[in-house]
Amino acid sequence: MKKRTLIINKRNEMPFAKKIGWDIVTVLLWAGWIYLWKPLLIVFYKIVTLDAEVDEISNVIFDEISAVTVEHAIIMLVATPTILFILSWLNRHVAPSVHFIYKFDEYAKYFQVDSAKLRESVDAQLITINHDNSGRIVDIETKI
C-alpha cells in the first residue's frame, strides 16, 4: 500500500519538459504585461529623475503614451484572456498519484493539531495559524 501524503502542489510530479514549457509561457506572459506598461514607466521615470524640462513634460507624456495604439490595446485586451483561457484548458495534467478525500481527524493527525480546533476553523471568518521556526503548526486561533 502506498503511503498517503497530503499534496498541495503537484508541480513536482509533472514531466520536466512540461514544467519548462509552462515556465517559458509564464515568463513570456509576464514580459508581455510589462511591455504594455513600458510607455507609462518611461514617463514616470523621466518625471521622477527630472530628465525632462517642466514645459516638455506634457510632450514627453503624449509622445510615450501614444506609442500604444488603440488597435494594439484592443488586440492585447482580447488576446490576453484568450491565451489564458486556452492555457487553462491545456493544463489538464492528472498526476499519477491516487487522490484521497481526507477527514478532519486525518488532517489533524498529519499536521499534529487538535481536531476540535481544526473543525472550528472551517466556519471561522478569521484564522490565525501559529507555527514554530521549523514551520510546524503550533496553534490555530479562530475568530467568528
Side-chain angles (χ1 to χ4, degrees):
M1 180 175 175
K2 280 184 158 181
K3 180 181 176 188
R4 296 180 354 175
T5 58
L6 299 175
I7 298 175
I8 296 170
N9 186 357
K10 294 232 177 222
R11 177 178 163 75
N12 59 348
E13 292 185 13
M14 290 175 66
F16 181 75
K18 200 168 196 176
K19 276 195 261 188
I20 294 297
W22 283 110
D23 291 343
I24 290 170
V25 168
T26 302
V27 167
L28 290 175
L29 287 173
W30 272 108
W33 188 82
I34 291 170
Y35 174 74
L36 289 175
W37 284 95
K38 181 183 151 198
L40 188 63
L41 295 174
I42 290 172
V43 169
F44 282 143
Y45 177 77
K46 288 185 178 183
I47 291 172
V48 169
T49 60
L50 301 175
D51 196 21
E53 298 294 326
V54 175
D55 50 344
E56 292 179 14
I57 289 178
S58 64
N59 291 335
V60 170
I61 291 172
F62 288 121
D63 289 343
E64 292 297 330
I65 299 283
S66 64
V68 177
T69 63
V70 174
E71 294 86 14
H72 180 253
I74 290 173
I75 288 170
M76 291 308 292
L77 187 65
V78 171
T80 302
T82 303
I83 290 170
L84 291 173
F85 181 74
I86 290 169
L87 290 176
S88 73
W89 280 97
L90 290 176
N91 193 15
R92 299 290 182 203
H93 173 72
V94 176
S97 66
V98 178
H99 298 281
F100 297 102
I101 298 175
Y102 293 98
K103 297 181 176 132
F104 282 105
D105 297 330
E106 292 173 323
Y107 278 111
K109 183 179 176 184
Y110 182 83
F111 289 110
Q112 299 173 355
V113 295
D114 184 24
S115 180
K117 286 187 178 184
L118 192 60
R119 286 181 200 274
E120 290 174 12
S121 66
V122 171
D123 296 325
Q125 293 179 355
L126 179 64
I127 301 170
T128 304
I129 298 177
N130 301 312
H131 57 85
D132 60 11
N133 290 337
S134 64
R136 187 174 97 44
I137 298 174
V138 177
D139 189 29
I140 300 175
E141 298 174 19
T142 59
K143 305 223 171 72
I144 298 176

